[in-house]
């Protein structure tokens, strides 16, 4: 039985890793460390929304009329950034 359970979890983990799942969340659901890091990145811009991807958080920041996605771990460490306009229309 232990083998079959581990096989089921292994397949579920692999299937979950292939999908790009973003979930819109409220700023109240974002750890304080992440909010502070995002506010630092947003200097001169505005955080327009928050998303959660697995254990990571993404702040979508409008700077000079262009939206950027800043991805952070739960401790507020910046993991990367990308142009949100390139993400629109992608199929996951």
């Amino acid at each position: 039985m232990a083998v079959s359970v581990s096989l089921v979890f292994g397949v579920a983990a692999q299937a979950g890793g292939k999908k790009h799942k973003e979930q819109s969340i409220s700023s109240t659901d974002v750890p304080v460390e992440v909010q502070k890091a995002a506010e630092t990145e947003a200097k001169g811009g505005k955080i327009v929304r928050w998303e959660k991807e697995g254990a990571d958080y993404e702040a979508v920041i409008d700077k000079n009329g262009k939206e950027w996605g800043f991805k952070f771990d739960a401790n507020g460490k910046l993991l990367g950034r990308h142009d949100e306009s390139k993400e629109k229309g992608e199929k996951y």
Side-chain angles (χ1 to χ4, degrees), residues 26-40 47 50 76:
S26 169
S27 61
T28 58
D29 296 325
V30 178
V32 173
E33 297 83 8
V34 177
Q35 289 184 33
K36 286 180 183 177
E39 287 170 10
T40 299
I47 299 171
W50 285 98

Side-chain angles (χ1 to χ4, degrees), residues 38-52:
E39 287 170 10
T40 299
E41 295 296 334
K43 293 283 188 214
K46 179 183 175 185
I47 299 171
V48 293
R49 70 179 176 276
W50 285 98
E51 297 174 350
K52 186 152 176 28

Side-chain angles (χ1 to χ4, degrees), residues 48-69:
V48 293
R49 70 179 176 276
W50 285 98
E51 297 174 350
K52 186 152 176 28
E53 295 180 40
D56 300 325
Y57 296 86
E58 182 176 327
V60 178
I61 299 173
D62 185 326
K63 280 190 173 186
N64 302 320
K66 190 169 188 176
E67 288 188 355
W68 293 92

Side-chain angles (χ1 to χ4, degrees), residues 8 10-11 14 21 27 29 31 37 46-48 51 75 79 88:
V8 168
V11 170
Q14 286 178 351
K21 260 194 163 173
S27 61
D29 296 325
K46 179 183 175 185
I47 299 171
V48 293
E51 297 174 350
N75 297 314
L79 302 175
K88 292 179 181 171

